[in-house]
Amino acid sequence: MSRQHHSENHRNDRIGWLRAAVLGANDGIISTACLMLGIAASNAGRNELLVAGIAALVAGAMSMAAGEYVSVSSQSDTEEADLERERGELRDQPDAEQRELASIYVRRGLTPELATQVAQQLMSHDALSAHARDELGIHEITAARPIQAAVTSALTFSAGAALPLITAVLAPPHLLTVLLAATSLFFLVALGVLAAMVGGAPMMRSALRVGFWGALAMAVTAGIGRIFGTII
């Protein structure tokens, strides 16, 4: 009787960079498109529109990179502090740490005897990794990576922000506002679908969520631009 290999394709290893990539591209499209729509609604010329869009791209990419680096670095510092504390406890109180690990497995459904055996074997192999994973919830595939998050966010923000800029360059003057809004909304929906495909999530829900909030943001910004453009 032949045995078939059971393979599984999980997506957890993509969580770190996928979150930063989607956030960067989404923010790049929305923030740049909203700014340009607000300026276009105030009856500004194409040159002013492009200058504002380029400034939004550069400032936004730098802001995303700095924000992601600081945020994820804080997470990394917290994780490292917890691991250092755990190293000390494993060095000073190994028996208590083994009982603590065994109690975690009991709560997950193992018998006390089996939980003790599992805890003993895991700690003899790599005690810190066992406690980091099962006590602290720190996994290698989801661990904080500040530089990766910063670079990913900056690059994807720039890519997202470039799309409304390209539209503004190519669109005829009399259709600029309409095409800018329509193409930006299309890009947002496409991004939602792509992110869902990569992450294995429902595509329709992701597309509708991104499209709705993007359309709302652009409508509000264009309305404000029209109001203040008329007043000024």
Side-chain angles (χ1 to χ4, degrees):
M1 181 178 176
S2 62
R3 294 184 177 179
Q4 293 183 346
H5 177 67
H6 175 62
S7 62
E8 296 182 346
N9 185 24
H10 296 295
R11 317 290 177 96
N12 285 3
D13 58 333
R14 305 174 183 177
I15 288 175
W17 67 263
L18 180 60
R19 181 194 67 83
V22 171
L23 177 63
N26 184 79
D27 199 25
I29 297 172
I30 290 181
S31 62
T32 306
C34 285
L35 176 62
M36 295 176 72
L37 280 170
I39 294 175
S42 68
N43 299 316
R46 188 193 296 267
N47 289 339
E48 290 84 355
L49 198 63
L50 292 177
V51 169
I54 294 171
L57 187 156
V58 175
M62 297 304 296
S63 176
M64 287 292 294
E68 280 291 315
Y69 184 81
V70 170
S71 174
V72 180
S73 291
S74 297
Q75 178 187 342
S76 180
D77 291 344
T78 300
E79 290 176 353
E80 186 54 41
D82 285 341
L83 289 173
E84 187 60 35
R85 188 179 303 110
E86 196 65 30
R87 287 189 189 95
E89 292 175 352
L90 287 169
R91 181 183 62 249
D92 300 334
Q93 308 173 58
D95 293 338
E97 287 299 302
Q98 180 180 299
R99 290 193 297 271
E100 183 178 25
L101 195 61
S103 68
I104 293 173
Y105 299 143
V106 169
R107 291 195 297 271
R108 293 181 180 176
L110 298 184
T111 63
E113 295 78 11
L114 181 57
T116 299
Q117 293 178 21
V118 171
Q120 288 174 343
Q121 292 187 30
L122 288 177
M123 288 186 64
S124 65
H125 174 67
D126 190 339
L128 183 60
S129 293
H131 281 269
R133 180 181 61 251
D134 296 321
E135 180 184 350
L136 303 177
I138 299 175
H139 300 260
E140 182 177 352
I141 61 175
T142 58
R145 296 179 176 86
I147 294 179
Q148 181 192 64
V151 172
T152 301
S153 293
L155 292 178
T156 53
F157 182 97
S158 299
L163 297 174
L165 272 171
I166 294 172
T167 301
V169 170
L170 300 178
H174 64 286
L175 293 177
L176 196 153
T177 302
V178 173
L179 287 177
L180 184 58
T183 55
S184 296
L185 187 58
F186 171 78
F187 294 142
L188 284 171
V189 171
L191 175 64
V193 171
L194 179 61
M197 291 175 61
V198 175
M203 288 187 289
M204 183 60 70
R205 182 174 63 188
S206 178
L208 289 175
R209 179 172 57 214
V210 175
F212 171 78
W213 288 108
L216 179 62
M218 287 187 286
V220 171
T221 310
I224 293 174
R226 177 62 60 85
I227 292 171
F228 281 93
T230 302
I231 295 174
I232 295 174

